[in-house]
Amino acid sequence: MSDKVKGPERSAISNTRQRKWARRRLIALGALFLLLVLVAGLWAYYLRTRKPLSAALPPAPAVAQAFKPHYLFSIYGVDRPLGIALSPDGRYIYVTESAGERLIKVFDREGQFIRSFAVPDTRPAERAPVYVAVDSYGRVYVTDRRRFALYVFDADGNLLRVFSPPQGEEFWTPLGVNVVNDEILVTEVTREQHRVMVFDLEGRLKTVFGREGRENGEFWFPNAVVRDEEGNFYVSDGNNGRLQVLDPEGNFLYALRGLNLPRGLAIDTEKRLFLVDAVAHQVRVFSLASQPIVALYEFGDIGMGDGEFRYPNDIAVDLTGRLYITDRENNRIQVWSY
Amino acid sequence: MRRWACSLLVGLLAMLVLPRPGWADNGPHEGTFTKTTDACAQCHRAHRGQGPGLLAGDLVTTQQARVLIDTSQINLCFSCHGSAATGADTNVEDGIYMNRASGGQFGVPGAGLRGGGFVNALMDPDFTGTPTAAPVTSKHDVGVPGMIVWGLGSSGVGHVTSSQRATLQCSSCHNPHGFANADRYRILRDDLPCAGCHDIQQQKGRLSQASMPTDATHQLAARLNTAIPDERPPYYTIRYTPDGYRDVSYLDERISEWCAGCHTRYLATGTDPSGDAVFAYRHRTTAQELTCLVCHVAHGTTATMGRFSGDVEWPDGTPGGGTTDSRLLHVSNRGVCYPCHPAP
């Protein structure tokens, strides 16, 4: 009953309401639009000013680290290269291949092919050289994942010796190798015991730590390990997507997480740590000037052009500020410089 | 209009605030990876907010915007499963299990993988007693566009339509994300692309049993949606029964139906002729001891063919390719037949 009476009144009210509403909506829309323009403007401003800002910084020593390296040129003639290392004087580049003939190839600084070699008496399908390192005497260390071995060659590629598994162990699975301060730093990935091993140049085991897992101080396919001047260890913990930092005794300090697939590592004389992220298609650069270390910047992106990577894997740095990076799926070595 | 503006605004704000959207759901290769969001990064790039597609919530757009994977997915998988096995022990490029510690569920120390390999394989196709590593003579050609999916489609459709061509990826057969609530043998897809008749990109991973039509082809598809049980055996090398034929007791006979998810007309009960012009008479493939994997490997083989075996033409009439035309057979010539049908 009362509904009938109130009917028209109500519609009148709702009419004015509607008008009010429409006005309000207009205002709200306008405000929203303004906000939108503002945000978009800010964003555009941010995007535009971001780069010039950093480039305009004065080259004070502390800030020098903010400068990114630039692309120089590429060395071709390698088949899906993985590992890379330099001779002590920086004149020769050693690279391992993971496809084709699977050789260790040597180039000079200008990219001229010098020679190639492999483990004697093996066919390509029977070998898998992965990482390579050179000591201060010019001896070349190569891990072979397929042959479960760490080989030592002279600078010309003649086989000198084969590292045997640690005492009391039947076999091992060396994966990564780096030589830092006359120490051979090896990552080992036998099932359940993914770990870091430190040898002296005679092959005596000095330190060993870690096992397979995801907890702090555990590793899952660690691909590389390097040490800084204080003796701290930096381990690229591949499948765990993190960089672990451990003290000189191998005790866990902290980890940088959220990396994609960290692989090769190198430290230069400017206290910069370089980490190759295979799946981010980038090299990430950190400053070791303070602890915990600080991320500086990253360079590279996916692609086939100059300075672009497809699954980069390892890096080597020389004393002149040159960087050599294996660009696996582009079948080349990229040379960058500061 | 307002809603549109609002969502755009929210989108823009999110672009500024969020470095990356949070992901939940199951981790990759479930069973070997834990369910942490961290795990996605191994295959998906940490993106830097390029593009509104990131926020759309549409999986396909999202995939295009954020999946780092370039045109050939094999590169991603080989970053771990490649010849140097830098992130896994199963080296599918060389077809070998790259660990010497025993007891793993994925392989026998230093032995060949069950699937063979994509570049080399460690096999003994000539029964010499010693498996040797050699380049493969045939393989499922991952990443090559326009390959004919032999036998796809129902009786009578022949091999002519472009819809029967497809590009295989590792993820055509495997689900790199694993399964949330089930343990599937080798994380094999339970929702095959069925590429020929359906667009391989569109249907993948998005079919449910409920929406399946009821003709013969699709009844098969429905059955495929039930899981192949995971029976990881203690031994991994390709074993032979006392009679000498390949032991596939580790697999359910449904693996035949699984392969037939693409090679439809190879699934045969032996009640032929089938009425199909090309596949008129077919060897039975529907018994536990006669699954596809009794005669074939899944990835690639080193077997070689003799004069007659190498001459067998392809279903579309293309002449056989000679000694290296091994069609994924795991034994040279027609050695796969001999154990069950010895010389009279």
Side-chain angles (χ1 to χ4, degrees), chain A residues 280-298:
Chain A
H281 310 281
Q282 281 181 332
V283 179
R284 299 172 189 259
V285 188
F286 302 88
S287 166
L288 301 185
S290 59
Q291 286 292 353
I293 63 171
V294 184
L296 293 174
Y297 47 78
E298 61 267 346

Side-chain angles (χ1 to χ4, degrees), chain B residues 97-143:
Chain B
Y97 184 64
M98 303 273 260
N99 214 316
R100 290 170 86 171
S102 53
Q105 56 184 328
F106 296 102
V108 156
L113 290 178
R114 286 193 201 284
F118 287 101
V119 175
N120 299 300
L122 181 64
M123 296 175 61
D124 187 16
D126 298 305
F127 294 112
T128 60
T130 341
T132 42
V136 295
T137 47
S138 68
K139 63 181 172 201
H140 263 126
D141 244 322
V142 177

Side-chain angles (χ1 to χ4, degrees), chain B residues 13-169:
Chain B
L13 280 173
M15 218 153 105
L16 289 171
V17 177
L18 296 176
R20 59 162 81 181
W23 290 97
D25 213 1
N26 58 313
H29 298 4
E30 235 225 3
T32 57
F33 292 77
T34 57
K35 295 185 182 183
T36 59
T37 45
D38 236 18
C40 315
Q42 293 158 334
C43 299
H44 296 279
R45 182 147 62 155
H47 40 81
R48 286 144 287 176
Q50 335 90 315
L54 286 178
L55 308 148
D58 174 343
L59 282 186
V60 179
T61 331
T62 314
Q63 178 179 2
Q64 282 159 359
R66 72 187 298 270
V67 174
L68 60 119
I69 312 162
D70 55 335
T71 46
S72 174
Q73 195 190 89
I74 200 168
N75 295 341
L76 169 68
C77 308
F78 279 7
S79 294
C80 288
H81 293 281
S83 65
T86 41
D89 288 325
T90 45
N91 166 358
V92 299
E93 196 174 352
D94 286 343
I96 181 170
Y97 184 64
M98 303 273 260
N99 214 316
R100 290 170 86 171
S102 53
Q105 56 184 328
F106 296 102
V108 156
L113 290 178
R114 286 193 201 284
F118 287 101
V119 175
N120 299 300
L122 181 64
M123 296 175 61
D124 187 16
D126 298 305
F127 294 112
T128 60
T130 341
T132 42
V136 295
T137 47
S138 68
K139 63 181 172 201
H140 263 126
D141 244 322
V142 177
V144 180
M147 303 297 276
I148 299 176
V149 190
W150 302 109
L152 177 80
S154 47
S155 270
V157 300
H159 283 292
V160 282
T161 60
S162 62
S163 65
Q164 279 157 332
R165 292 179 177 271
T167 311
L168 268 182
Q169 298 288 8

Side-chain angles (χ1 to χ4, degrees), chain A residues 32 43 80 82 98 102 123 145-146 148 171 191 214 223 239 260 263 279 282 301 310-311 328-329, chain B residues 16 34 41-42 44-46 48 70 75 79 83-89 93-94 98-99 102 120 133:
Chain A
L32 261 170
W43 178 244
R80 290 175 56 210
L82 284 183
S98 66
R102 300 187 191 179
R123 290 178 295 119
R145 181 80 162 87
R146 174 80 166 77
F148 304 91
F171 55 79
R191 207 169 59 78
R214 318 204 81 198
N223 268 238
N239 288 15
N260 293 59
R263 291 282 161 94
V279 158
Q282 281 181 332
D301 205 339
R310 275 165 77 218
Y311 302 93
R328 193 183 91 212
E329 295 302 329
Chain B
L16 289 171
T34 57
Q42 293 158 334
H44 296 279
R45 182 147 62 155
R48 286 144 287 176
D70 55 335
N75 295 341
S79 294
S83 65
T86 41
D89 288 325
E93 196 174 352
D94 286 343
M98 303 273 260
N99 214 316
S102 53
N120 299 300

Side-chain angles (χ1 to χ4, degrees), chain A residues 88-251:
Chain A
D89 56 5
R91 280 178 63 193
Y92 298 106
I93 311 162
Y94 294 82
V95 190
T96 56
E97 295 180 313
S98 66
E101 290 295 307
R102 300 187 191 179
L103 301 168
I104 297 120
K105 286 192 170 154
V106 190
F107 297 85
D108 70 13
R109 251 178 84 85
E110 272 60 62
Q112 283 298 318
F113 174 76
I114 304 293
R115 74 178 77 83
S116 65
F117 56 92
V119 176
D121 307 317
T122 55
R123 290 178 295 119
E126 295 167 346
R127 58 184 180 237
V130 197
Y131 287 101
V132 56
V134 185
D135 70 13
S136 52
Y137 301 92
R139 288 178 295 215
V140 184
Y141 299 76
V142 179
T143 50
D144 193 308
R145 181 80 162 87
R146 174 80 166 77
R147 307 193 67 76
F148 304 91
L150 173 58
Y151 294 99
V152 189
F153 298 90
D154 68 16
D156 296 326
N158 303 305
L159 185 62
L160 295 177
R161 62 176 288 198
V162 186
F163 262 56
S164 28
Q167 264 218 316
E169 292 180 27
E170 213 181 317
F171 55 79
W172 65 329
T173 317
L175 175 62
V177 62
N178 277 296
V179 177
V180 179
N181 288 336
D182 283 348
E183 275 179 348
I184 305 159
L185 309 175
V186 176
T187 62
E188 203 259 342
V189 294
T190 296
R191 207 169 59 78
E192 282 172 2
Q193 62 184 32
H194 294 198
R195 56 189 176 166
V196 170
M197 300 172 119
V198 182
F199 298 89
D200 65 18
L201 290 184
E202 271 67 57
R204 285 184 293 259
L205 183 63
K206 290 167 71 176
T207 315
V208 54
F209 55 87
R211 64 191 183 106
E212 184 173 356
R214 318 204 81 198
E215 301 302 319
N216 292 340
E218 297 180 342
F219 307 107
W220 196 12
F221 288 97
N223 268 238
V225 52
V226 291
R227 296 184 85 163
D228 63 16
E229 282 163 7
E230 285 73 46
N232 296 318
F233 291 93
Y234 300 85
V235 183
S236 65
D237 190 6
N239 288 15
N240 283 330
R242 62 187 177 187
L243 174 73
Q244 285 200 54
V245 185
L246 305 104
D247 74 12
E249 276 71 54
N251 301 309

